Amino acid sequence: PVFKPRKPLNRHTHSLSQTNINIDKMSAKGGDTYKLTYFTARGSGELPRLLFAVSETPFEDVRLEHSGEEWTKFKTETPMKSLPILEVNGKMFCQSGAMVRFLAKKFDLLGASEEDAFLCDEAVECVNDTAQAYYKPIFEKDEARKEEYTKAFKEVAMPKLTSYFKSRMATYGKDGFIIGGKVTLADMVFFNFSDGMVQHKQDVLSPEMQTHYEKIKAIPAIAAWLAKRPQTEF
């Protein structure tokens, strides 16, 4: 089926003054235009936003209320009836993992070789596994299982991720970046995860991961994005 791009949703479309993304010049690198639609949250929409930010690529940042009328109407137009949605030159695409890999390739954030790109994919999956372990107790209603899942996150999932981070940084890292001497998707997925842990006051980051978090946070384009993005709980 052909999915038609919608008209701009003015109420939740953020301007330059709100998000530091220049939507007055919607033609980005290579003449492409980008529109990212997600809920009024960071969630699965934040890593794509961070890739736009770190690459200094203009995009339209559309945010919808989960229970709002605009999402109800727009939902019928989406390929999987879900968000996020990325529109590239008016064509609609779904699935956050696919769009992250597409944008990373487009913006030269996959390192210098096929092996570097492989490592970036690897980092994404390792972080995703750990994030799932973090959210599992949050959505669990049974208190005994909630406690069990929380313990598993802190005592199993996080040590595994920390060990992975140290190993990859020692083998492939340079100048504080995880792969080579420049920022890649691997850095951004770890930053996004660490940022969530910091915001949720989870004291789980190792000194090495904390140092990496501060390094990426200090990149001018990222610092500008963090200062301008809407503040949300998740």
Side-chain angles (χ1 to χ4, degrees), residues 134 153-154 158 197-198 200-206 210:
Y134 171 71
F153 166 67
K154 292 183 176 180
M158 274 308 303
M197 294 300 100
V198 170
H200 296 157
K201 296 180 170 56
Q202 295 293 315
D203 186 21
V204 295
L205 299 183
S206 68
Q210 183 70 39

Side-chain angles (χ1 to χ4, degrees), residues 92-209:
M92 187 181 293
F93 302 91
C94 66
Q95 296 296 339
S96 59
M99 62 184 67
V100 160
R101 289 168 173 83
F102 169 81
L103 294 174
K105 183 177 181 180
K106 194 81 170 176
F107 303 154
D108 192 25
L109 295 170
L110 293 177
S113 67
E114 289 184 352
E115 183 179 88
D116 288 353
F118 193 174
L119 289 165
C120 285
D121 279 345
E122 180 187 83
V124 169
E125 297 304 325
C126 290
V127 170
N128 284 347
D129 286 349
T130 311
Q132 288 179 15
Y134 171 71
Y135 282 110
K136 193 172 183 178
I138 292 177
F139 296 107
E140 177 57 58
K141 295 181 179 180
D142 182 86
E143 289 302 321
R145 284 198 292 266
K146 183 185 288 286
E147 184 177 346
E148 175 188 342
Y149 295 154
T150 299
K151 183 177 181 181
F153 166 67
K154 292 183 176 180
E155 297 183 7
V156 180
M158 274 308 303
K160 285 171 61 177
L161 186 67
T162 300
S163 176
Y164 168 81
F165 177 86
K166 290 180 180 179
S167 172
R168 288 313 192 214
M169 183 68 85
T171 304
Y172 299 99
K174 182 180 179 182
D175 298 332
F177 297 107
I178 298 173
I179 303 169
K182 67 175 185 176
V183 67
T184 66
L185 174 59
D187 295 295
M188 298 316 302
V189 72
F190 263 93
F191 172 81
N192 189 44
F193 174 81
S194 297
D195 189 50
M197 294 300 100
V198 170
Q199 294 219 11
H200 296 157
K201 296 180 170 56
Q202 295 293 315
D203 186 21
V204 295
L205 299 183
S206 68
E208 295 85 356
M209 287 181 66

Side-chain angles (χ1 to χ4, degrees), residues 34-65:
Y34 301 99
K35 180 186 291 185
L36 181 70
T37 302
Y38 190 60
F39 299 113
T40 53
R42 294 187 302 278
S44 298
E46 192 62 15
L47 184 52
R49 293 175 186 138
L50 286 167
L51 298 184
F52 282 119
V54 77
S55 65
E56 301 185 71
T57 303
F59 77 106
E60 187 173 353
D61 183 20
V62 181
R63 299 176 185 233
L64 306 181
E65 295 294 341

